[in-house]
Amino acid sequence: SKTFFSWDKVNSFHSDSILLNFPLGLIYENFWFQFSHTKSNYLSDVFKVHNNDIPLNDYYTVRILPKNISYAMHDKAVIAFSKSGSGYSGKTTTWDGPWLTCKARDFGYFVVMMDTTDPTISVISGKQNQIASLGTHFIFNMNDNLSGVTSFNAYLDDQWVLLEHDGKTDNITYTVDENVAAGEHLLQIIVADEVGNQKTLNFKFKT
Protein backbone atom coordinates (compact mmCIF):
# COMPACT_ATOMS: atom_id res chain seq x y z
CA SER A 1 0.00 0.00 0.00
CA LYS A 2 1.05 3.63 -0.52
CA THR A 3 0.44 6.70 1.63
CA PHE A 4 1.56 10.23 0.82
CA PHE A 5 4.01 11.71 3.37
CA SER A 6 4.63 15.47 3.59
CA TRP A 7 7.96 16.74 4.86
CA ASP A 8 6.33 19.61 6.79
CA LYS A 9 3.75 17.53 8.68
CA VAL A 10 3.54 14.82 11.31
CA ASN A 11 2.94 11.55 9.46
CA SER A 12 1.62 8.19 10.59
CA PHE A 13 0.66 4.79 9.26
CA HIS A 14 -1.31 1.94 10.79
CA SER A 15 -2.64 -1.48 9.92
CA ASP A 16 -4.16 -4.24 12.04
CA SER A 17 -0.89 -5.15 13.75
CA ILE A 18 1.57 -2.28 13.24
CA LEU A 19 1.49 1.42 14.14
CA LEU A 20 4.11 3.86 12.84
CA ASN A 21 4.44 7.46 14.04
CA PHE A 22 6.79 9.87 12.26
CA PRO A 23 7.58 13.21 13.96
CA LEU A 24 7.81 16.58 12.26
CA GLY A 25 11.24 17.08 10.72
CA LEU A 26 11.92 13.38 10.13
CA ILE A 27 12.01 13.54 6.32
CA TYR A 28 13.56 16.04 3.93
CA GLU A 29 11.04 15.89 1.08
CA ASN A 30 7.57 14.61 0.16
CA PHE A 31 7.25 11.01 -1.01
CA TRP A 32 4.80 8.14 -1.35
CA PHE A 33 5.32 5.87 1.65
CA GLN A 34 5.29 2.16 0.76
CA PHE A 35 4.38 -0.67 3.08
CA SER A 36 3.93 -4.42 2.75
CA HIS A 37 3.95 -7.48 4.98
CA THR A 38 4.45 -11.21 4.62
CA LYS A 39 3.62 -14.16 6.84
CA SER A 40 6.45 -15.59 8.92
CA ASN A 41 7.20 -18.32 11.45
CA TYR A 42 8.21 -15.70 14.00
CA LEU A 43 5.98 -13.89 16.49
CA SER A 44 4.62 -11.47 13.89
CA ASP A 45 4.49 -10.94 10.16
CA VAL A 46 7.57 -9.44 8.54
CA PHE A 47 6.78 -5.77 7.90
CA LYS A 48 8.57 -3.95 5.09
CA VAL A 49 8.56 -0.27 5.99
CA HIS A 50 9.33 1.69 2.82
CA ASN A 51 12.92 1.27 1.59
CA ASN A 52 16.25 2.16 3.11
CA ASP A 53 17.41 4.64 0.47
CA ILE A 54 15.40 7.47 2.10
CA PRO A 55 17.53 9.37 4.68
CA LEU A 56 15.88 10.18 7.99
CA ASN A 57 16.68 13.10 10.28
CA ASP A 58 15.35 11.64 13.52
CA TYR A 59 13.84 8.58 15.18
CA TYR A 60 10.31 7.35 14.61
CA THR A 61 8.20 4.99 16.70
CA VAL A 62 7.31 1.43 15.73
CA ARG A 63 4.57 -0.49 17.53
CA ILE A 64 3.81 -4.10 16.64
CA LEU A 65 1.03 -6.32 17.96
CA PRO A 66 2.68 -9.75 18.28
CA LYS A 67 1.13 -13.17 18.16
CA ASN A 68 0.23 -14.80 21.47
CA ILE A 69 3.20 -14.72 23.85
CA SER A 70 2.96 -16.30 27.29
CA TYR A 71 3.43 -13.85 30.15
CA ALA A 72 6.47 -15.82 31.31
CA MET A 73 8.18 -15.12 27.98
CA HIS A 74 7.25 -11.43 27.68
CA ASP A 75 10.75 -10.26 28.65
CA LYS A 76 12.32 -12.30 25.83
CA ALA A 77 10.30 -10.70 23.00
CA VAL A 78 12.27 -8.30 20.80
CA ILE A 79 11.47 -6.22 17.73
CA ALA A 80 14.20 -7.14 15.26
CA PHE A 81 15.28 -4.93 12.36
CA SER A 82 17.12 -5.44 9.08
CA LYS A 83 17.79 -3.03 6.25
CA SER A 84 17.81 -5.83 3.68
CA GLY A 85 15.49 -8.50 5.09
CA SER A 86 18.30 -10.70 6.41
CA GLY A 87 20.79 -10.41 9.25
CA TYR A 88 18.35 -9.07 11.84
CA SER A 89 19.44 -7.31 15.02
CA GLY A 90 17.31 -6.51 18.02
CA LYS A 91 16.00 -3.08 18.94
CA THR A 92 15.59 -1.82 22.49
CA THR A 93 12.02 -3.00 22.98
CA THR A 94 9.36 -2.27 25.59
CA TRP A 95 5.75 -3.31 26.14
CA ASP A 96 2.95 -0.77 25.78
CA GLY A 97 -0.18 -2.70 26.74
CA PRO A 98 -0.44 -5.57 24.22
CA TRP A 99 1.93 -3.83 21.81
CA LEU A 100 5.70 -4.04 21.53
CA THR A 101 7.37 -0.72 20.79
CA CYS A 102 10.79 0.54 19.73
CA LYS A 103 12.51 3.51 18.10
CA ALA A 104 14.12 3.31 14.64
CA ARG A 105 16.11 5.68 12.47
CA ASP A 106 16.08 3.68 9.24
CA PHE A 107 13.45 2.21 6.98
CA GLY A 108 13.59 -1.52 6.40
CA TYR A 109 12.16 -4.78 7.72
CA PHE A 110 10.69 -5.34 11.19
CA VAL A 111 9.59 -8.57 12.86
CA VAL A 112 9.04 -9.78 16.43
CA MET A 113 11.42 -12.53 17.53
CA MET A 114 12.09 -14.40 20.75
CA ASP A 115 15.59 -14.03 22.20
CA THR A 116 16.35 -17.00 24.44
CA THR A 117 20.00 -17.48 23.44
CA ASP A 118 22.79 -16.59 25.86
CA PRO A 119 25.58 -14.26 24.75
CA THR A 120 28.96 -15.80 23.95
CA ILE A 121 32.39 -15.04 25.39
CA SER A 122 35.43 -16.22 23.45
CA VAL A 123 39.10 -16.02 24.38
CA ILE A 124 41.05 -13.92 21.87
CA SER A 125 44.39 -13.71 23.65
CA GLY A 126 45.45 -16.01 26.47
CA LYS A 127 45.10 -19.65 27.50
CA GLN A 128 43.56 -21.42 30.44
CA ASN A 129 46.10 -21.98 33.26
CA GLN A 130 48.58 -19.68 31.55
CA ILE A 131 51.49 -18.39 33.62
CA ALA A 132 51.14 -14.59 33.61
CA SER A 133 53.36 -11.76 34.70
CA LEU A 134 52.86 -8.09 35.49
CA GLY A 135 51.32 -6.39 32.44
CA THR A 136 49.99 -9.56 30.79
CA HIS A 137 46.84 -8.84 28.78
CA PHE A 138 43.99 -11.34 28.50
CA ILE A 139 41.55 -10.39 25.72
CA PHE A 140 38.00 -11.72 25.29
CA ASN A 141 35.24 -11.05 22.79
CA MET A 142 31.56 -10.67 23.66
CA ASN A 143 28.82 -11.38 21.15
CA ASP A 144 25.04 -11.69 21.14
CA ASN A 145 22.89 -12.98 18.31
CA LEU A 146 19.92 -10.61 18.62
CA SER A 147 19.17 -8.13 21.40
CA GLY A 148 22.80 -7.19 22.01
CA VAL A 149 25.20 -7.16 24.95
CA THR A 150 24.22 -4.53 27.51
CA SER A 151 26.38 -5.32 30.54
CA PHE A 152 29.54 -7.09 31.56
CA ASN A 153 31.38 -7.54 34.84
CA ALA A 154 34.57 -9.29 35.88
CA TYR A 155 35.69 -10.69 39.22
CA LEU A 156 39.20 -11.82 40.11
CA ASP A 157 39.08 -14.26 43.01
CA ASP A 158 35.58 -12.91 43.86
CA GLN A 159 36.69 -9.26 43.81
CA TRP A 160 35.34 -6.94 41.09
CA VAL A 161 38.02 -5.78 38.63
CA LEU A 162 38.08 -3.25 35.83
CA LEU A 163 38.08 -4.33 32.19
CA GLU A 164 39.00 -2.21 29.17
CA HIS A 165 36.21 -2.27 26.58
CA ASP A 166 36.60 -1.67 22.84
CA GLY A 167 33.16 -0.52 21.69
CA LYS A 168 33.91 -1.17 18.02
CA THR A 169 34.83 -4.83 18.40
CA ASP A 170 33.20 -5.64 21.76
CA ASN A 171 36.56 -6.94 22.92
CA ILE A 172 37.27 -6.67 26.64
CA THR A 173 40.76 -6.76 28.14
CA TYR A 174 41.97 -7.67 31.62
CA THR A 175 45.51 -6.63 32.52
CA VAL A 176 47.46 -8.24 35.34
CA ASP A 177 48.58 -5.44 37.66
CA GLU A 178 50.68 -5.09 40.81
CA ASN A 179 47.72 -5.95 43.05
CA VAL A 180 47.69 -9.56 41.85
CA ALA A 181 49.55 -11.76 44.32
CA ALA A 182 51.57 -14.82 43.38
CA GLY A 183 49.53 -17.99 43.02
CA GLU A 184 46.53 -19.41 41.17
CA HIS A 185 43.69 -17.10 40.18
CA LEU A 186 40.14 -17.32 38.83
CA LEU A 187 38.92 -14.55 36.51
CA GLN A 188 35.15 -14.76 36.18
CA ILE A 189 33.48 -12.74 33.40
CA ILE A 190 29.69 -12.34 33.33
CA VAL A 191 27.98 -10.96 30.23
CA ALA A 192 24.25 -10.20 29.85
CA ASP A 193 22.11 -9.14 26.90
CA GLU A 194 19.20 -6.72 26.80
CA VAL A 195 16.54 -9.30 27.68
CA GLY A 196 18.48 -10.85 30.58
CA ASN A 197 20.15 -13.85 28.96
CA GLN A 198 23.48 -14.33 30.69
CA LYS A 199 26.80 -16.11 30.08
CA THR A 200 29.65 -16.75 32.52
CA LEU A 201 33.25 -17.58 31.60
CA ASN A 202 35.66 -18.93 34.21
CA PHE A 203 39.27 -18.28 33.20
CA LYS A 204 42.16 -19.55 35.31
CA PHE A 205 45.74 -18.30 35.27
CA LYS A 206 48.83 -18.38 37.49
CA THR A 207 51.29 -15.71 38.59
Side-chain angles (χ1 to χ4, degrees):
S1 63
K2 290 186 177 182
T3 303
F4 188 73
F5 275 17
S6 298
W7 71 271
D8 58 348
K9 294 181 179 179
V10 172
N11 297 284
S12 64
F13 177 87
H14 64 88
S15 71
D16 291 340
S17 52
I18 188 169
L19 303 173
L20 304 170
N21 292 298
F22 305 94
L24 183 67
L26 179 78
I27 56 177
Y28 297 93
E29 59 186 8
N30 300 340
F31 66 90
W32 284 97
F33 174 76
Q34 301 177 37
F35 171 84
S36 63
H37 63 99
T38 56
K39 298 293 183 182
S40 79
N41 293 321
Y42 297 111
L43 298 174
S44 73
D45 289 355
V46 175
F47 302 100
K48 185 176 187 296
V49 177
H50 203 67
N51 52 68
N52 60 29
D53 60 356
I54 297 291
L56 301 179
N57 193 43
D58 203 350
Y59 289 90
Y60 64 98
T61 303
V62 179
R63 290 182 174 86
I64 298 177
L65 184 65
K67 301 173 185 176
N68 292 333
I69 301 175
S70 67
Y71 182 77
M73 298 301 291
H74 266 208
D75 289 344
K76 304 296 184 182
V78 175
I79 297 178
F81 171 78
S82 169
K83 285 188 176 182
S84 64
S86 62
Y88 283 89
S89 60
K91 291 286 189 183
T92 298
T93 304
T94 57
W95 285 92
D96 182 8
W99 297 78
L100 283 167
T101 182
C102 74
K103 297 287 188 180
R105 197 166 181 171
D106 295 287
F107 289 140
Y109 297 80
F110 295 88
V111 63
V112 176
M113 295 182 176
M114 193 70 73
D115 185 355
T116 57
T117 303
D118 292 340
T120 61
I121 312 170
S122 54
V123 181
I124 302 299
S125 176
K127 294 181 179 180
Q128 288 281 2
N129 299 309
Q130 177 178 330
I131 297 175
S133 58
L134 181 66
T136 296
H137 301 294
F138 294 117
I139 303 175
F140 310 87
N141 180 258
M142 308 177 293
N143 188 49
D144 188 74
N145 72 323
L146 190 57
S147 61
V149 171
T150 55
S151 69
F152 61 90
N153 284 284
Y155 301 87
L156 182 66
D157 303 327
D158 296 324
Q159 298 295 314
W160 184 87
V161 290
L162 182 67
L163 299 178
E164 180 182 344
H165 178 223
D166 184 336
K168 293 182 179 179
T169 63
D170 263 347
N171 284 349
I172 47 178
T173 301
Y174 169 73
T175 302
V176 178
D177 61 23
E178 64 275 4
N179 297 315
V180 180
E184 297 184 351
H185 302 283
L186 174 63
L187 178 65
Q188 186 178 67
I189 299 174
I190 303 171
V191 174
D193 68 13
E194 182 137 12
V195 298
N197 299 313
Q198 185 171 288
K199 180 71 173 182
T200 300
L201 173 70
N202 292 319
F203 185 84
K204 298 179 180 180
F205 66 93
K206 303 174 183 177
T207 54

